[in-house]
Amino acid sequence: GPELLAYHLTGAGLVEQAIPEWRKAGERAIQGCAYLEAIEHLSQGIKLLRALPETPDTLREEARFLQLIGVPIAATKGYSCPEAEEVYTRSFALCERLGDGQQLFISLYGLARLHMLRGEYATALADGERLLGIAQRSAEPAFLGQANRACGATRFYRGEFERSRAHFERVLALTVTPEQRAKALLSDIVDCWIAARAYLGWLLWMVGRPDEARRM
């Protein structure tokens, strides 16, 4: 597997060849929900990257590693833990510096979840509105799902049920391929289409529509 290749390349001092293999190993571990292994693999890649001379390419790759490691950190330690804040804040700063809008989305999505789950709803909603703007300019349909999920969840916790419902219905109206959903899961613990149905079920129940809630 990639982790074995990465290990041997690292041992041989072939750092630049080892780094993408550590990333592949981390991605595969995330897909298999082997979160502790993912943290170990991705940490190795980050360590190697930070030992290289700083260039736009190494910074861009570091941002990708940080975005990936945010998922297993959040899964094992909680969304709002200091480590998750550190990796998403660092990756966001790198993406802003590099002017990389698509990668910026992933970092900002992590920060939006973190702010929401800390109860920092005004900040989370501002993050969500910015996510929507990026998603609307992007060619990634899954970004629209994640951006609406972020806004919908924050508005749900603020008690803005009708506006929340509109966001989640937009998620479910999107046409996305299984491949696009799988790619989105590299930057999120939960499939946002499943999350949208869950939130809509709770929301419908709370506004007195139990039959629709049960169907959802």
Side-chain angles (χ1 to χ4, degrees):
E3 66 278 4
L4 188 59
L5 180 56
Y7 174 80
H8 288 298
L9 288 168
T10 302
L14 300 172
V15 172
E16 292 186 6
Q17 292 97 315
I19 288 168
E21 297 303 322
W22 284 122
R23 178 165 46 77
K24 289 175 192 172
E27 288 174 346
R28 191 166 78 165
I30 290 170
Q31 288 165 342
C33 297
Y35 292 131
L36 294 178
E37 288 179 26
I39 291 171
E40 184 178 340
H41 299 329
L42 295 167
S43 295
Q44 288 287 344
I46 292 167
K47 181 180 177 182
L48 294 178
L49 273 166
R50 288 178 174 171
L52 293 175
E54 191 177 279
T55 68
D57 285 341
T58 60
L59 293 177
R60 190 170 289 108
E61 188 70 359
E62 183 185 345
R64 293 176 71 188
F65 269 86
L66 291 169
Q67 290 162 353
L68 286 167
I69 205 170
V71 171
I73 286 174
T76 55
K77 298 185 178 183
Y79 280 103
S80 60
C81 70
E83 293 94 331
E85 181 176 23
E86 182 182 336
V87 298
Y88 285 122
T89 300
R90 166 72 175 165
S91 64
F92 181 77
L94 289 175
C95 293
E96 279 205 311
R97 179 175 166 185
L98 295 164
D100 190 331
Q102 293 222 343
Q103 291 296 103
L104 183 75
F105 181 95
I106 297 169
S107 300
L108 185 58
Y109 185 62
L111 287 172
R113 289 199 314 265
L114 185 149
H115 291 138
M116 181 191 75
L117 289 161
R118 285 182 176 175
E120 298 166 356
Y121 297 134
T123 304
L125 197 53
D127 293 338
E129 294 294 342
R130 187 170 179 187
L131 286 169
L132 277 174
I134 298 171
Q136 285 159 359
R137 296 188 296 273
S138 167
E140 290 277 352
F143 281 1
L144 277 172
Q146 290 177 303
N148 277 291
R149 180 261 173 101
C151 290
T154 303
R155 292 192 186 283
F156 174 84
Y157 292 119
R158 283 164 58 111
E160 299 173 14
F161 294 141
E162 284 308 308
R163 297 183 76 179
S164 172
R165 180 182 175 190
H167 283 296
F168 289 126
E169 287 178 345
R170 287 182 203 125
V171 175
L172 298 183
L174 288 167
T175 301
V176 288
T177 66
E179 291 76 19
Q180 288 165 334
R181 287 175 73 162
K183 182 181 177 182
L185 270 174
L186 287 173
S187 59
D188 201 353
I189 296 170
V190 180
D191 181 299
C192 74
W193 285 266
I194 295 173
R197 290 186 181 278
Y199 274 104
L200 279 169
W202 300 331
L203 193 156
L204 289 163
W205 185 274
M206 292 172 76
V207 297
R209 298 164 72 173
D211 293 340
E212 290 176 67
R214 287 191 188 94
R215 285 196 295 274
M216 188 60 67

